[in-house]
Every structure is written in C-alpha cells, then in structure tokens.
Amino acid sequence: DTEVTQTPKHLVMGMTNKKSLKCEQHMGHRAMYWYKQKAKKPPELMFVYSYEKLSINESVPSRFSPECPNSSLLNLHLHALQPEDSALYLCASSPVQSSYEQYFGPGTRLTVT
Amino acid sequence: GESVGLHLPTLSVQEGDNSIINCAYSNSASDYFIWYKQESGKGPQFIIDIRSNMDKRQGQRVTVLLNKTVKHLSLQIAATQPGDSAVYFCAETTNTGNQFYFGTGTSLTVIP
C-alpha cells in the first residue's frame, strides 16, 4: 500500500466550528507532514511529525492543532478559523524526516464561511 | 526563509516536443532538489530528485540538470504527452529534513 489517504475530501465550516482533518498511511513511514496550499500557489509546510513527535511547527497559528495518535495517523484539529484559512490541506509522509521523497495525499479542500 | 522560485509560470508545448521547466533557488546549503508534478485535484507526485553534488540525473523521459554556479535547476521532459499536463514544482531540502521549500510552480499545457 503506497497511498496516503485523507478525509474528508471537502469540508465547509463556520468560523465558530470545530472540525478535524484526518490523514492515514500504511507504508511504515515515520515522518508525516501537513501542508497548506492556496490556489495557484505552492504547498507551504505547516507541521512535521517525526516518530510521532512534533518536529517542526512553521509558526502556524494556534487555531490549527496537529496530533499524531500513532505512526499511521495524523490529525489536524481546526477551531475558530478565518475565511483566509480556506485552502487545500495536504498531508504527506516519508520514511524518515530526512527522506527527500514525500508521498502526498489528495488533500482536503477546506472552505471557511 | 530561503525561497525557491521558477522563471516561467506557464508553458505550452506541442505533443511530442520536449519541454524544459526552469527553477532558481537561493539556498546554497540545500542538499537535495526535487521535482514534483501536481495534476488537477491531486496532491503533488514525486518525479525525480538530484543531490547537490551531481550535475545531471536521468529518469524515464525526464532529466534534471543542476547548475550550482548560478543556482539553477531544470526539468526536461522528452516527447511530452497530454498526460504530462500539470503544474510542476521544484523543491529543496537539507540532509536533516529540517527545511523543505517548494518553488512557485509552472503550469505545463500539452497541445495535442
């Protein structure tokens, strides 16, 4: 299984809602990533988990809260988001953090109203 | 942080022609340079990488060239096919994986 899955595919939420994005991989990878991608822009790294521990937080606002319950799962908890947070949220994994080849999921298209 | 940019935002080529996509980078400390392809509605897909101590690397129909003197990276696609239509991003990272930056992206359109 060389696939990274993400749920949901689409999400519409209000600014007062709490929601979560989920990511799963069964490749035995020990590094997992969250990226944010705006339309016609490159992905921007948000968080990196290495061996289930937060390794990198690229100064992301606290309304985004990542969680890595186990080596296969990565969540992104969302609370009190702003309309400008609307974007495609991509999850990726790699064998270890120093691996240059990352495997991306299809993303969750988030719209904040 | 350091940035990786691309010279051309869009590129149109005839089917069967060769495509060249360019990228300029600014972090001379990067150890790996990677090309990703992102089709509409999908996440980026790894194409090919090159280590900083190499000048050229070839894959299936693709070649990546690295010119460290002018900090320039290019992706050459031979005999471009309609399935090659996508946005292409260059990216750079370090041996430790503490940095990972994507470039601006080039949208490639293949004309049948």
Side-chain angles (χ1 to χ4, degrees):
Chain A
D1 185 358
T2 59
E3 193 178 6
V4 175
T5 59
Q6 290 188 245
T7 56
K9 284 187 171 30
H10 302 275
L11 178 63
V12 179
M13 60 184 291
M15 290 188 283
T16 58
N17 291 157
K18 286 185 182 181
K19 296 287 184 182
S20 297
L21 309 184
K22 297 186 183 301
C23 173
E24 190 167 5
Q25 56 88 14
H26 294 288
M27 294 178 278
H29 290 174
R30 303 313 298 270
M32 296 186 76
Y33 310 78
W34 279 116
Y35 288 85
K36 174 182 178 180
Q37 186 177 27
K38 300 284 270 186
K40 301 186 188 302
K41 297 290 186 182
E44 295 177 7
L45 184 64
M46 299 173 72
F47 302 104
V48 180
Y49 272 82
S50 178
Y51 291 89
E52 294 98 71
K53 294 193 187 313
L54 185 64
S55 173
I56 295 177
N57 176 343
E58 291 283 2
S59 302
V60 179
S62 60
R63 58 186 184 268
F64 295 92
S65 176
E67 178 196 21
C68 190
N70 60 55
S71 61
S72 300
L73 294 174
L74 185 66
N75 299 322
L76 185 63
H77 302 298
L78 314 172
H79 175 54
L81 294 193
Q82 303 297 311
E84 58 265 29
D85 296 322
S86 298
L88 181 68
Y89 287 84
L90 293 161
C91 174
S93 71
S94 64
V96 291
Q97 184 174 333
S98 57
S99 303
Y100 50 84
E101 182 175 353
Q102 296 182 15
Y103 294 75
F104 283 83
T108 293
R109 177 73 61 188
L110 174 68
T111 302
V112 181
T113 60
Chain B
E2 299 284 353
S3 64
V4 179
L6 294 176
H7 294 305
L8 295 173
T10 61
L11 177 65
S12 295
V13 299
Q14 291 286 340
E15 181 178 358
D17 287 353
N18 296 335
S19 303
I20 300 178
I21 300 171
N22 296 304
C23 175
Y25 68 93
S26 55
N27 185 2
S28 56
S30 291
D31 297 298
Y32 288 98
F33 300 89
I34 309 107
W35 282 99
Y36 281 88
K37 171 186 180 183
Q38 186 173 22
E39 296 175 88
S40 181
K42 297 184 179 179
Q45 178 185 10
F46 174 88
I47 302 173
I48 191 168
D49 68 280
I50 187 167
R51 196 173 176 134
S52 60
N53 62 356
M54 299 172 67
D55 298 321
K56 179 179 180 179
R57 189 161 187 224
Q58 287 186 290
Q60 188 176 12
R61 280 202 307 120
V62 294
T63 300
V64 57
L65 299 178
L66 177 62
N67 185 332
K68 294 182 288 294
T69 302
V70 295
K71 295 181 181 175
H72 184 267
L73 186 70
S74 69
L75 177 70
Q76 300 178 2
I77 305 174
T80 313
Q81 302 168 1
D84 295 326
S85 294
V87 176
Y88 290 81
F89 294 101
C90 61
E92 59 177 327
T93 188
T94 57
N95 273 331
T96 59
N98 285 336
Q99 297 178 11
F100 200 97
Y101 298 112
F102 279 87
T104 308
T106 293
S107 177
L108 174 66
T109 300
V110 181
I111 304 166

